[in-house]
Amino acid sequence: MKIVRLFGAFAAAIMVAHSTAAAAPRVMSLDSCADQYVLAIAPRDSIVGLSYRATAQDSYMRGHAAGLPLRRATVENLVAARPQIVVRHWGGDARLIAALERRGVRTVRIDDAADFPAVRVNIRRVANALNREAAGEALIGRMDQQLDAATAAWKGKRALYLTPGGYTAGPGTLIDAILKASGLSNAVSRPFFSPAPLESLVLAPPRAVVLGFFDLTRAGSDRWGAGRHAALKRVTTDRTIASLPAAEVGCPAWFAADAVTQLAKARTAP
């Protein structure tokens, strides 16, 4: 009887182990945006790798990345980490993706999102792959609550979005969706991202400006870009209603709603 009981306990332990593995597959993310989803949705002890940008200033979930393994997106690191699921937005080259397929590792792709319904699709895709549907729905619920609270705060006021590199965003971008969710009307009608008409902005400044990524001080176009030109700064400073941090607008994710909240609060600020 003792042997039978031991065998039964051993079998039960195996079943629990298999159940736990099914509930929390080993997961690795290949780029910064994928890091955010993995950190927010996956159990911490199931994360076997994050990108080296997981702790960067523009990583929304950087505070949760401390102590977790950071790995480059290489075949060698993949073999060492032994993930069951890999989450990626843009990270990983064709060689790595082929290696994942050969090893039977499931790849979950985060798509670019031009609106909040597409963000919901991304969240549910990752959450379903990780068997963490409740965690995914909690993120969606938080996002939707923020969007509902900010609806039409600006009542259609026209605003122009501007980055340090001198780019703006029109229809077909998540930035456009962020502006509209707060009740702003996008002053740019040209779709997608494009260079802002800097001379026109200096001569005829927009009534309202929303800055993005100005919290970063990286070298190159971000530091010395047209968006930081002194002449443009003079005419936009008094018209800037909000400066959205890179951590809120850099990925097609639920925290874009934080940017909407920031814009809505700017409307009611004294």
Side-chain angles (χ1 to χ4, degrees):
M1 281 298 286
K2 185 176 182 181
I3 293 177
V4 172
R5 286 197 298 272
L6 287 173
F7 180 79
F10 180 67
I14 291 177
M15 291 178 66
V16 169
H18 278 293
S19 174
T20 301
R26 293 166 61 85
V27 59
M28 178 175 170
S29 52
L30 300 187
D31 53 67
S32 181
C33 289
D35 292 335
Q36 313 311 312
Y37 278 81
V38 168
L39 285 166
I41 296 174
R44 186 175 177 84
D45 59 3
S46 72
I47 300 173
V48 298
L50 301 167
S51 84
Y52 272 87
R53 290 199 52 76
T55 56
Q57 180 185 351
D58 57 349
S59 172
Y60 184 83
M61 299 290 294
R62 61 187 177 276
H64 297 263
L68 290 172
L70 306 182
R71 305 179 189 270
R72 300 195 187 283
T74 66
V75 174
E76 293 75 17
N77 282 331
L78 167 70
V79 172
R82 296 182 295 108
Q84 296 168 287
I85 292 178
V86 163
V87 181
R88 64 185 294 261
H89 179 221
W90 52 264
D93 58 19
R95 177 171 170 261
L96 179 62
I97 302 308
L100 290 171
E101 293 175 351
R102 287 196 302 271
R103 288 166 173 78
V105 179
R106 181 180 176 186
T107 301
V108 181
R109 175 74 180 268
I110 297 166
D111 292 330
D112 284 329
D115 53 35
F116 287 99
V119 171
R120 294 185 192 98
V121 171
N122 278 336
I123 294 171
R124 289 188 172 118
R125 180 181 300 142
V126 176
N128 290 344
L130 299 179
N131 299 316
R132 298 279 289 177
E133 288 84 356
E137 293 306 313
L139 289 180
I140 291 172
R142 171 185 179 274
M143 180 181 76
D144 288 346
Q145 189 174 36
Q146 289 177 283
L147 296 177
D148 290 342
T151 299
W154 282 95
K155 303 185 186 304
K157 184 181 181 71
R158 284 170 61 82
L160 178 124
Y161 174 77
L162 183 67
T163 71
Y167 275 75
T168 188
T173 66
L174 190 55
I175 294 297
D176 182 70
I178 289 170
L179 296 178
K180 291 176 179 176
S182 70
L184 288 167
S185 173
N186 197 338
V188 174
S189 58
R190 184 175 181 179
F192 310 119
F193 294 94
S194 60
L198 300 179
E199 291 186 11
S200 299
L201 293 179
V202 172
L203 295 173
R207 296 182 61 186
V209 175
V210 175
L211 303 179
F213 294 93
F214 275 76
D215 59 317
L216 299 184
T217 54
R218 296 181 300 200
S221 62
D222 277 346
R223 177 171 292 185
W224 307 109
R228 295 187 188 273
H229 194 283
L232 188 59
K233 185 176 181 179
R234 281 195 297 271
V235 299
T236 59
T237 297
D238 293 340
R239 294 172 170 83
T240 297
I241 59 177
S243 184
L244 305 178
E248 292 180 359
V249 295
C251 290
W254 67 96
F255 43 79
D258 286 16
V260 176
T261 297
Q262 183 178 340
L263 288 173
K265 287 182 177 179
R267 176 68 178 86
T268 58

